[in-house]
Amino acid sequence: MTVSAQVTPGSVPPAAFEEQEAIAGRSLGQLAWMRLRRDKGAMTAMITLIVIIALAVFAPLITRMLHIDPLSFDDKAVSQDGGLPIGPFGGMSLAHPLGVEPGTGRDNLARLLYGARVSLFISFSATIITCTIGVLVGIVAGYRRGWVDGALGRFMDIVLAFPLLLVALSMAPVLTQRLQSMGLSGNGGRVLYLILVISIFGWPYLARIVRGQVLSIREREFVESAVSMGAGTSRILFREILPNLWAPILVYATIVMPSYIALEASLSFLGVGVLPPTPTWGAMLADSVRYFVVDPAFLFFPGALLFIVVFAFNSLGDAVRDALDPRTGRV
Amino acid sequence: MAKAGLRAVVFAAVGALALAACGSGSGTSPSSSAGGGATTATSGPQKGGTLYILTNEKQFLHLDPQRNYTGTDLAFANGFLNRTLTAYKFAPGDGGAQLVPDLATDTGTATDGGKTWSFTLRDGVTFQDGSPITCADVKYGISRTFATTVITDGPTYAIQDLAIPTDAKGNSVYLGPYDTSSKNDVAAFDKAVTCSADNKTITMHLNQPVGDWNYAMTLLEFSPVPKAKDTGEKYDDNPVSSGPYQIENYTKGTSLTLVRNPKWSQASDPYRHAYPDKVVVQFGLDPSAIDQRLMADSGPDQTAVTLGGLQPENLATVFNDPKYKDRRFNGYDPYVRYLAINTAKVPNLKQRLAMMAAMDRAAYRTIYGGNFAGDLADGVIKPNLAIDYKPTNLWTGLLGQNIPDNGDPTFAKQLIAQSGAKMPTITYDYPNTPTQSKVASAVVASLGKAGITVKPNPIEPGQYYGVILDPKKADELMYAGWGPDWLNASTVIPPLFQPNGGFDVSQYNNAAFNAQINKAKATLDRTAQGAEWAALNVEAMKDGLVIPTLFGKIQYLVGSKIGGGYIWAPYGCMPFGDLWIKS
Amino acid sequence: MAAYIARRLVAMVGMLIALSIITFLLFAALPTDPALLTCGKNCTPQVVAANRVRLGLDKPLYQQYVTFAKGIFVGRDYGSGTATFHCPAPCLGYSYLKGEDVTSLIWNALPVTASLAAGAFIVWIVSGVLLGIFAALRRGTWQERSVLGFALVGYSFPSFFIGLLALFFVVIRWQLLPYPNYVPPTQGLLQWFQTLILPWITLALLYAAYYIRLTRNQMLETLGEDYIRTARAKGLPERTVILRHGLRAGLTPIVTSAGLDLAGLLGGAVVTESIFRLPGLGSLAIDAVVNADLPVITGTVLVAATFIIVANLIVDILYAAIDPRVRLT
């Protein structure tokens, strides 16, 4: 864990998986779901997340209903003597339910809702890419063994040795330009860059876990029988082995998703983010830092929302892991 | 030989700073600088104590005098470390515009109609090692400017104005003191700058008359450097002091400590008082934390000032609370802020005018702090340049109709329709900081209302000027700011709108305009010259070269034991070299 | 064992070389122009072009790498004409922006980062392991639930958020501490401590949460094993059982994680350093990134990565020493 660990230490605790044995398919899934449904904390977390995701998805509708807009400036809402919001709690009013941004008078609620779309989209896509790469590399390394395994292992060592946050930050301006010149103008290129960069943080951990799983699964009878029946490699990999991996993948996904949300925020906080005027939580937080003495509400709302989402994902992730593996479970 | 009638404020430094933290502000408070400060202390200035200077910068961009070209840094270095031939008087308000002799015995003698200038050095002036400062040292300092690959970032007046021939590409044939190759024409420089037999009088020959060349001598570009101690690039780390202090310790990112220079004598320097015993600059502080510390005013912070001004977010607190009344200051800085339009990328005049008409300048001002930020600008010449400033009526009819502060999208659309061409997509270059991102949002939104598509292009602040000054990399619209180098629009209009002027980000090259510039430069009657600059300012607006936004203001809060504070107009900051500590 | 260490050392050198090449190529191949930084404000394309030649950027990439690598071992010269200066070995490059060689920049920043990392490490290891053991022993009680709940909350906060809140309340609102302003401990132990206490806690809070869970899970696992039951059955005191047997066996993954996390932190705690304005490696790197100061970025990345690789080696060797079951392959 390199510098990235600072952002989300322990987001990828490989230790939790190392002793885990291969988990047999469906029946366990049903069992786990039953356990999960009984877990009140997990259910609360899940409902919270569903509500927030719905808010993000329907942001255009909600903002239209409330007559707010993430991009419109409102010079009546901020003071001409210093640019601070007029009114209590960062300019809260009927017109601006969560106040406004200092200096511009843009509506905080609308920006939070639209920001959620970008932040969640980026972290969700990055989670999927991470898992895809991790699983593919892990399966190949575990199944082929030998020099392929060794080479992939060393490669992962090097990837993990890099202070990825620094590399990501310093490559950003240039690579986004490159993506733009490939036709992804404006925010398309930037969002894609963020997704790609965030994805490279997590895949080696998953690949190691998957590799371990595959090493043990491939010795099992059903794989051996498939081999003896002359099944092709790809069939064995994807039909026989992959279905046995979904439990660790799911657990891993619930762990990295919140860490990626926080990572996206940190990257924006450090100046690599989407272009203005598009809002993201991280960019809002980065801006609010300067105002945290004179306008704490401006820091509070995006900070609290970010915390709630990450907390909910973490709780859910915990619960999912416990449900799948009751041995280490909470009580 | 300053012409009579030079009264308004003189400015130094270039607009290049003011990127991230440099203030803005607003002015509910009493009019500008007004000289506040020392109301609590009845006694006058006194010696002793430690002056703390707080900044969020990690280091001084340059302490090498020939490379120092940032307003606050010039004020700092000039006050403590580097003596110049002439200097600006330490005085609040318009008094700061007055030119006084420093190393020289007077403010210079012009002959040949202003084409030749001589300055004689005072007796007893020395460097920190005790060696006397001679004409040769001043001349060597000037020569360093010509080594443009080593001595970077500094002003280029010596290169532009000294009578040294140029080659076919327009580059000086003199390449500075480090180049030992045969193509370096040292003789040309030796002819342009000469020393008297007693090594005390320096004479500079210019390629055309410059009536106020002695003002240029306030720039550290013209300060002495002992050749034996010059280390090229490395001179930045440990410049030899000619002022009342010397560097005891310079740890970049942390602090710079100045102690008294034992070889400096008050007798040879009537300009500086050198009140504090010690000066400590603390680097790398959080800008908000700096403001909070000064507000709290405890312990050593009572004798602290900031290098730059207050942050916009704290202005309301400081200026609404009477307890800060004696130690807060609000005044004009030297800068005009604007958005430069790249005429090479937007050659269609009507389209440029449409962008001017569409821009929401009020939003720009609010982002920088509203009233504290300054006044909405109507051109690139600031009213403080009293002789050269005349209202351009840019927003009140110059372009055909009144344009409100929020912009006029309808009028902009009409202009686009008249342009007879499709409006191109506008890419807006700006340094990547939170405040600048908000400005970018305002540009996107207000030009968008007029149907102009704007793509924001954030650039790392450290590379920003390198990018926009490269014609191959600059885009259509760019954030910019500029402050004159002295009280003459000759340090505004030519650098901004003439090829090789130094800051021609508008990529403007108009033969008629250039001819008028050259005529104005050669006009020695200062009033007539002022009228010519004012006319060129109007011309530049009519030709849609920039969208002027703000005549900037700056605000300071100082510790309660700081005496002698005011906004020093030439540099738009505290007069660091003249502050004293109340006991 | 000696053969194992030797083999690992050789592998490490190989990786370091690979790392330096990758780092160099990664940044050298960027179209960002380091020459731009040598000429700042009145930067004409001619000056940039001239400086590109001075910096050797017109040479082919492999030559640039050789110069760079040579600089690390024997130093190199910068500049031209009579303004030449020497950057002594180990020279990681020269930052024209800062006017300083990268090695000294890193050397100056390292003690700050080391102070931060070491203090935070102590706080999080002690609190993490103790609370983890506590939670394992109180399995099924409200105490366990609150410790785990605290851990969950702790690592759900983005670190910059905790840091900012701490600054806001502790320093500004309640004025319990002066503003963070780093001084070396030799110059002022109290100020050093006062400056670092909040960053330590901020960082430790995040890591402690992870170590609480890790320790607890390890303890539960080992306490359930046969030999622990045997030890208990033999009538050994509970304290001995837990410390001598339970913790010892569960220690290996904790040591592994701790070693790597500490090494990672030594490479710079970017966010924490930037919030508390600590002039450490993280701040240096961010500053370099913001200004696209490539020599500094390359240098800091290389140093940070080296820490990780070395830590990996040390952890593996320790692992082998602690746990005799590990096969030395």
Side-chain angles (χ1 to χ4, degrees):
Chain A
M1 266 175 275
T2 61
V3 185
S4 64
Q6 193 217 343
V7 180
T8 49
S11 58
V12 274
F17 302 92
E18 272 159 12
E19 317 301 325
Q20 212 169 326
E21 282 159 31
I23 295 159
R26 312 266 136 84
S27 63
L28 186 110
Q30 283 152 0
L31 260 171
W33 175 237
M34 272 171 56
R35 284 196 209 103
L36 201 59
R37 275 218 318 228
R38 281 202 303 268
D39 187 334
K40 277 191 210 132
M43 284 298 113
T44 317
M46 200 184 275
I47 292 166
T48 311
L49 288 173
I50 291 171
V51 168
I52 289 175
I53 291 168
L55 285 174
V57 171
F58 296 110
L61 210 66
I62 299 166
T63 50
R64 205 177 313 148
M65 273 162 50
L66 293 172
H67 301 289
I68 52 178
D69 176 71
L71 305 183
S72 301
F73 284 52
D74 183 353
D75 52 10
K76 301 282 179 299
V78 290
S79 156
Q80 279 305 305
D81 287 324
L84 293 182
I86 298 170
F89 304 109
M92 266 197 204
S93 66
L94 279 179
H96 300 293
L98 294 186
V100 296
E101 180 184 58
T104 64
R106 291 185 288 188
D107 187 88
N108 277 343
L109 177 60
R111 291 180 69 72
L112 279 174
L113 291 175
Y114 273 88
R117 292 163 75 92
V118 184
S119 300
L120 292 177
F121 175 74
I122 290 175
S123 41
F124 188 68
S125 314
T127 303
I128 290 177
I129 293 181
T130 300
C131 291
T132 313
I133 300 178
V135 168
L136 286 179
V137 174
I139 287 185
V140 171
Y143 191 76
R144 295 296 302 271
R145 295 185 289 198
W147 68 268
V148 177
D149 187 17
L152 286 173
R154 290 293 83 72
F155 178 63
M156 285 190 271
D157 282 349
I158 291 188
V159 170
L160 290 177
F162 268 100
L164 288 172
L165 192 58
L166 288 184
V167 176
L169 286 169
S170 45
M171 308 275 286
V174 176
L175 288 184
T176 48
Q177 271 168 31
R178 188 128 321 152
L179 287 170
Q180 272 168 19
S181 65
M182 282 160 55
L184 277 167
S185 64
N187 264 332
R190 297 214 149 217
V191 168
L192 181 60
Y193 176 74
L194 281 171
I195 292 172
L196 292 179
V197 140
I198 290 174
S199 305
I200 59 169
F201 281 81
W203 69 265
Y205 294 104
L206 182 61
R208 282 183 174 172
I209 296 161
V210 169
R211 172 182 166 273
Q213 299 276 319
V214 172
L215 279 178
S216 80
I217 291 172
R218 61 167 300 171
E219 306 301 333
R220 297 259 212 104
E221 284 152 19
F222 64 90
V223 178
E224 279 171 9
S225 68
V227 173
S228 63
M229 284 163 69
T233 307
S234 66
R235 192 194 149 83
I236 293 170
L237 287 181
F238 295 103
R239 286 288 176 77
E240 306 293 339
I241 292 182
L242 191 60
N244 289 290
L245 293 171
W246 72 268
I249 296 171
L250 182 64
V251 170
Y252 191 78
T254 54
I255 295 169
V256 290
M257 175 84 185
S259 74
Y260 281 0
I261 294 175
L263 185 58
E264 187 274 328
S266 300
L267 283 171
S268 299
F269 180 80
L270 295 169
V272 183
V274 298
L275 294 170
T278 309
T280 66
W281 292 351
M284 291 178 75
L285 277 166
D287 189 34
S288 66
V289 172
R290 299 185 347 187
Y291 294 94
F292 76 126
V293 179
V294 287
D295 185 7
F298 186 49
L299 172 68
F300 177 78
F301 291 120
L305 197 54
L306 186 69
F307 170 71
I308 290 170
V309 170
V310 175
F311 184 68
F313 264 112
N314 279 336
S315 313
L316 190 62
D318 263 16
V320 169
R321 185 171 40 186
D322 294 348
L324 287 167
D325 182 11
R327 279 188 310 150
T328 57
R330 298 174 301 176
V331 179
Chain B
M1 250 258 332
K3 293 260 169 194
L6 285 189
R7 52 193 165 72
V9 181
V10 182
F11 294 136
V14 94
L17 44 155
L19 285 186
C22 233
S24 44
S26 65
T28 33
S29 58
S31 56
S32 32
S33 36
T39 49
T40 44
T42 44
S43 58
Q46 51 193 254
K47 296 227 173 202
T50 300
L51 173 67
Y52 289 94
I53 299 179
L54 314 180
T55 176
N56 68 318
E57 302 292 339
K58 300 282 164 78
Q59 61 183 79
F60 282 112
L61 188 60
H62 293 295
L63 279 181
D64 182 326
Q66 269 72 32
R67 303 173 74 180
N68 189 339
Y69 197 14
T70 304
T72 48
D73 297 4
L74 284 167
F76 172 86
N78 197 210
F80 300 121
L81 293 173
N82 298 111
R83 297 187 62 178
T84 43
L85 293 171
T86 61
Y88 294 112
K89 193 176 176 184
F90 282 119
D94 289 353
Q98 195 187 326
L99 198 67
V100 294
D102 179 1
L103 271 180
T105 51
D106 56 28
T107 57
T109 313
T111 49
D112 198 10
K115 258 183 105 168
T116 303
W117 280 85
S118 306
F119 300 85
T120 302
L121 297 172
R122 286 178 203 274
D123 293 327
V125 290
T126 65
F127 288 112
Q128 72 182 62
D129 59 2
S131 60
I133 298 172
T134 64
C135 168
D137 297 316
V138 180
K139 182 177 170 179
Y140 183 75
I142 297 172
S143 79
R144 299 174 83 237
T145 303
F146 288 81
T148 50
T149 55
V150 179
I151 305 302
T152 55
D153 289 356
T156 52
Y157 289 102
I159 299 177
Q160 282 162 25
D161 292 340
L162 287 176
I164 295 173
T166 53
D167 63 14
K169 285 191 204 137
N171 297 324
S172 172
V173 296
Y174 179 56
L175 303 172
Y178 310 120
D179 191 317
T180 48
S181 70
S182 59
K183 63 181 181 180
N184 187 5
D185 192 346
V186 183
F189 179 70
D190 286 337
K191 223 173 104 188
V193 182
T194 56
C195 284
S196 63
D198 65 353
N199 213 358
K200 287 194 83 90
T201 301
I202 186 163
T203 305
M204 299 174 219
H205 303 275
L206 311 182
N207 53 25
Q208 66 175 31
V210 180
D212 44 14
W213 181 248
N214 48 354
Y215 278 85
M217 297 306 110
T218 60
L219 292 169
L220 297 191
E221 181 187 4
F222 298 95
S223 76
V225 170
K227 184 174 183 182
K229 298 282 170 65
D230 185 16
T231 44
E233 259 118 355
K234 290 297 208 178
Y235 193 67
D236 240 351
D237 291 345
N238 203 356
V240 179
S241 171
S242 53
Y245 298 86
Q246 62 189 35
I247 297 172
E248 183 187 63
N249 180 346
Y250 184 13
T251 312
K252 289 173 187 173
T254 310
S255 68
L256 167 72
T257 306
L258 303 183
V259 293
R260 289 193 183 278
N261 167 8
K263 299 290 195 296
W264 175 83
S265 76
Q266 181 75 67
S268 76
D269 190 351
Y271 175 64
R272 290 170 189 77
H273 295 106
Y275 296 123
D277 287 334
K278 202 171 170 184
V279 180
V280 178
V281 185
Q282 294 183 353
F283 296 107
L285 304 170
D286 180 71
S288 317
I290 294 176
D291 291 357
Q292 295 301 325
R293 278 170 63 169
L294 287 172
M295 283 192 247
D297 193 44
S298 64
D301 291 340
Q302 291 178 337
T303 66
V305 296
T306 51
L307 193 64
L310 277 164
Q311 297 299 305
E313 60 269 20
N314 295 318
L315 291 168
T317 317
V318 170
F319 280 89
N320 288 334
D321 190 335
K323 79 176 174 195
Y324 303 117
K325 145 168 91 58
D326 294 329
R327 49 195 191 97
R328 68 188 176 204
F329 305 92
N330 182 11
Y332 285 96
D333 66 22
Y335 304 107
V336 176
R337 289 168 201 262
Y338 58 93
L339 307 178
I341 304 176
N342 185 344
T343 57
K345 289 272 177 81
V346 191
N348 187 309
L349 172 63
K350 293 279 185 189
Q351 291 180 346
R352 294 202 296 268
L353 297 181
M355 286 156 73
M356 294 171 82
M359 178 63 199
D360 184 346
R361 293 165 288 118
Y364 184 105
R365 184 168 174 266
T366 312
I367 290 168
Y368 274 98
N371 296 322
F372 289 106
D375 308 330
L376 288 175
D378 68 349
V380 292
I381 298 178
K382 209 168 172 174
N384 307 47
L385 286 178
I387 305 173
D388 304 320
Y389 176 76
K390 222 178 79 191
T392 63
N393 294 323
L394 172 61
W395 311 116
T396 50
L398 185 70
L399 303 184
Q401 66 179 67
N402 280 350
I403 297 166
D405 300 345
N406 288 103
D408 188 339
T410 322
F411 181 43
K413 279 182 183 158
Q414 286 170 16
L415 287 165
I416 295 175
Q418 290 165 19
S419 75
K422 190 173 170 292
M423 186 75 201
T425 297
I426 302 298
T427 302
Y428 173 61
D429 297 339
Y430 63 96
N432 192 8
T433 68
T435 304
Q436 293 292 342
S437 299
K438 288 183 187 172
V439 171
S441 301
V443 173
V444 171
S446 58
L447 269 59
K449 280 188 196 154
I452 304 170
T453 311
V454 178
K455 282 201 325 205
N457 180 33
I459 295 170
E460 300 93 326
Q463 298 216 320
Y464 182 66
Y465 286 99
V467 171
I468 66 165
L469 282 166
D470 184 344
K472 284 203 276 303
K473 292 189 177 139
D475 288 301
E476 286 84 6
L477 191 63
M478 292 153 276
Y479 160 85
W482 182 260
D485 288 307
W486 64 85
L487 167 73
N488 192 324
S490 64
T491 64
V492 179
I493 300 283
L496 261 45
F497 303 126
Q498 212 172 22
N500 298 324
F503 201 64
D504 183 22
V505 283
S506 300
Q507 309 285 338
Y508 191 58
N509 188 2
N510 177 319
F513 197 88
N514 290 340
Q516 279 175 281
I517 286 182
N518 291 337
K519 182 165 165 280
K521 268 178 161 173
T523 305
L524 288 181
D525 179 308
R526 193 63 184 86
T527 315
Q529 190 191 30
E532 289 180 64
W533 291 133
L536 283 167
N537 190 23
V538 172
E539 206 55 43
M541 294 307 114
K542 279 211 293 220
D543 227 1
L545 307 184
V546 300
I547 308 174
T549 48
L550 280 182
F551 293 144
K553 276 184 167 177
I554 185 136
Q555 292 76 28
Y556 272 89
L557 179 69
V558 304
S560 60
K561 288 192 174 165
I562 294 287
Y566 51 84
I567 306 270
W568 193 23
Y571 302 98
C573 60
M574 284 286 119
F576 301 112
D578 211 37
L579 296 174
W580 50 277
I581 309 297
K582 301 172 190 171
S583 56
Chain C
M1 189 76 183
Y4 171 72
I5 294 178
R7 208 163 49 236
R8 286 300 309 261
L9 275 174
V10 172
M12 185 183 84
V13 171
M15 262 180 89
L16 285 177
I17 293 172
L19 198 78
S20 75
I21 294 177
I22 294 175
T23 312
F24 185 80
L25 288 182
L26 208 57
F27 294 115
L30 296 182
T32 314
D33 193 345
L36 273 183
L37 284 176
T38 62
C39 80
K41 284 177 293 197
N42 34 26
C43 201
T44 62
Q46 292 93 313
V47 176
V48 176
N51 275 326
R52 201 170 290 136
V53 176
R54 284 180 68 225
L55 291 176
L57 296 170
D58 55 332
K59 304 247 168 62
L61 263 186
Y62 74 91
Q63 268 188 29
Q64 289 185 41
Y65 175 74
V66 171
T67 318
F68 173 76
K70 239 175 85 185
I72 298 180
F73 294 105
V74 297
R76 62 192 280 196
D77 285 332
Y78 279 93
S80 60
T82 56
T84 309
F85 60 92
H86 184 68
C87 170
C91 177
L92 288 168
Y94 180 80
S95 164
Y96 276 84
L97 193 73
K98 300 245 174 201
E100 187 120 40
D101 56 88
V102 177
T103 312
S104 357
L105 285 170
I106 291 177
W107 198 244
N108 290 339
L110 208 51
V112 184
T113 299
S115 301
L116 174 64
F121 180 76
I122 292 168
V123 177
W124 97 60
I125 282 293
V126 171
S127 61
V129 170
L130 286 183
L131 285 172
I133 296 174
F134 177 77
L137 295 181
R138 293 280 189 281
R139 186 162 196 210
T141 65
W142 65 269
Q143 286 113 315
E144 188 205 20
R145 274 193 296 273
S146 24
V147 168
L148 289 183
F150 163 78
L152 196 60
V153 170
Y155 83 52
S156 296
F157 271 113
S159 63
F160 59 89
F161 197 55
I162 301 189
L164 287 171
L165 286 183
L167 256 186
F168 178 65
F169 284 106
V170 179
V171 175
I172 292 169
R173 264 289 149 78
W174 304 328
Q175 308 204 338
L176 298 177
L177 286 173
Y179 278 93
N181 182 13
Y182 184 85
V183 295
T186 47
Q187 277 177 33
L189 198 59
L190 182 67
Q191 193 183 342
W192 175 80
F193 185 79
Q194 284 176 332
T195 297
L196 285 169
I197 181 84
L198 285 183
W200 285 340
I201 294 174
T202 303
L203 263 183
L205 200 55
L206 288 154
Y207 283 91
Y210 169 57
Y211 282 83
I212 289 173
R213 293 153 61 105
L214 183 62
T215 311
R216 170 187 165 276
N217 291 353
Q218 286 300 321
M219 287 297 287
L220 286 183
E221 201 134 316
T222 47
L223 287 180
E225 289 197 19
D226 289 342
Y227 69 95
I228 296 283
R229 268 184 236 132
T230 315
R232 282 207 175 110
K234 280 201 305 192
L236 288 177
E238 187 65 12
R239 174 190 296 266
T240 317
V241 174
I242 291 165
L243 291 182
R244 293 286 289 282
H245 298 274
L247 191 59
R248 176 88 188 268
L251 203 60
T252 12
I254 299 174
V255 168
T256 312
S257 280
L260 293 180
D261 281 345
L262 183 62
L265 266 185
L266 282 176
V270 176
V271 176
T272 307
E273 285 180 18
S274 95
I275 285 175
F276 293 98
R277 293 270 164 163
L278 300 172
L281 276 181
S283 296
L284 180 67
I286 283 298
D287 211 38
V289 166
V290 165
N291 293 305
D293 193 355
L294 284 185
V296 179
I297 301 175
T298 314
T300 44
V301 165
L302 201 55
V303 168
T306 307
F307 280 136
I308 302 269
I309 289 182
V310 172
N312 253 318
L313 175 69
I314 295 174
V315 162
D316 282 356
I317 293 172
L318 271 182
Y319 207 98
I322 295 179
D323 195 337
R325 287 171 302 179
V326 173
R327 269 186 307 151
L328 303 178
T329 47

